[in-house]
Amino acid sequence: MPERHLLIVAHAPSENTRLLRDAAVRGASADTIENVQVRWVAPLEATPEDVLQADGILLGTTENLGYMSGALKDFFDRCYYPVLEKKQGLPCALYIRAGHDGTGTRRAVETIVTGLRWTWVQDPLVLRGEWQPGFVGSVEELALYMAAGLDAGIF
């Protein structure tokens, strides 16, 4: 099977969100995944070319004032039109570190992903409320699921 490329675009401005980003990379890079190249790029550095090379994308954001992080919004602003026609159907997943309920953040990202015509591999993972160490395992599991699906040709 040809090598697949999983792009992780995750905003990680704090120690806890860096733990989530690292968990995503670790999960997607598990020893059981044989044919998936994993690459993390910060949202402010990610380019349309990064998306065009990807076979799947995992997004990570904080909840900022009931919305996605400005960094992830900037990523979408710069990449939307250059990838719109070329990456329809791109498998995607999302995790949100939400201090509150994450509803507005989820809705905002879902609206953009719908416009891009990307395909959700599962419902967004919303990590609500006070920090819990279990959030790390949940993100690692999501990333493993995403990479395993790409590896098996399911997505």
Side-chain angles (χ1 to χ4, degrees), residues 1-136:
M1 176 175 262
E3 187 171 73
R4 309 292 305 265
H5 298 273
L6 175 59
L7 177 63
I8 299 173
V9 178
H11 185 55
S14 68
E15 181 179 340
N16 288 342
T17 53
R18 285 189 290 277
L19 289 172
L20 298 177
R21 175 207 58 206
D22 294 347
V25 172
R26 187 171 50 252
S29 303
D31 291 341
T32 56
I33 307 299
E34 297 178 358
N35 297 305
V36 177
Q37 180 90 3
V38 178
R39 185 163 172 251
W40 168 74
V41 182
L44 293 174
E45 297 171 12
T47 66
E49 291 75 28
D50 293 321
V51 178
L52 292 171
Q53 294 173 11
D55 298 299
I57 188 166
L58 174 58
L59 305 166
T61 187
T62 52
E63 175 187 55
N64 291 14
L65 304 172
Y67 197 70
M68 73 183 88
S69 71
L72 190 64
K73 178 63 166 76
D74 175 78
F75 162 74
F76 282 130
D77 287 345
R78 289 180 294 102
C79 296
Y80 190 93
Y81 289 107
V83 307
L84 178 61
E85 297 300 323
K86 298 175 183 161
K87 294 309 283 190
Q88 293 180 17
L90 182 70
C92 72
L94 167 69
Y95 68 86
I96 300 166
R97 174 61 193 111
H100 298 291
D101 72 358
T103 302
T105 306
R106 178 178 175 165
R107 184 175 28 249
V109 175
E110 286 178 331
T111 298
I112 293 169
V113 166
T114 297
L116 287 164
R117 298 180 196 101
W118 292 354
T119 303
W120 291 108
V121 300
Q122 74 172 48
D123 287 340
L125 173 63
V126 183
L127 309 164
R128 292 183 176 88
E130 294 294 317
W131 173 260
Q132 299 172 34
F135 291 165
V136 172

Side-chain angles (χ1 to χ4, degrees), residues 134-150:
F135 291 165
V136 172
S138 295
V139 171
E140 189 169 342
E141 184 178 295
L142 171 64
L144 175 60
Y145 173 78
M146 181 86 185
L150 286 172

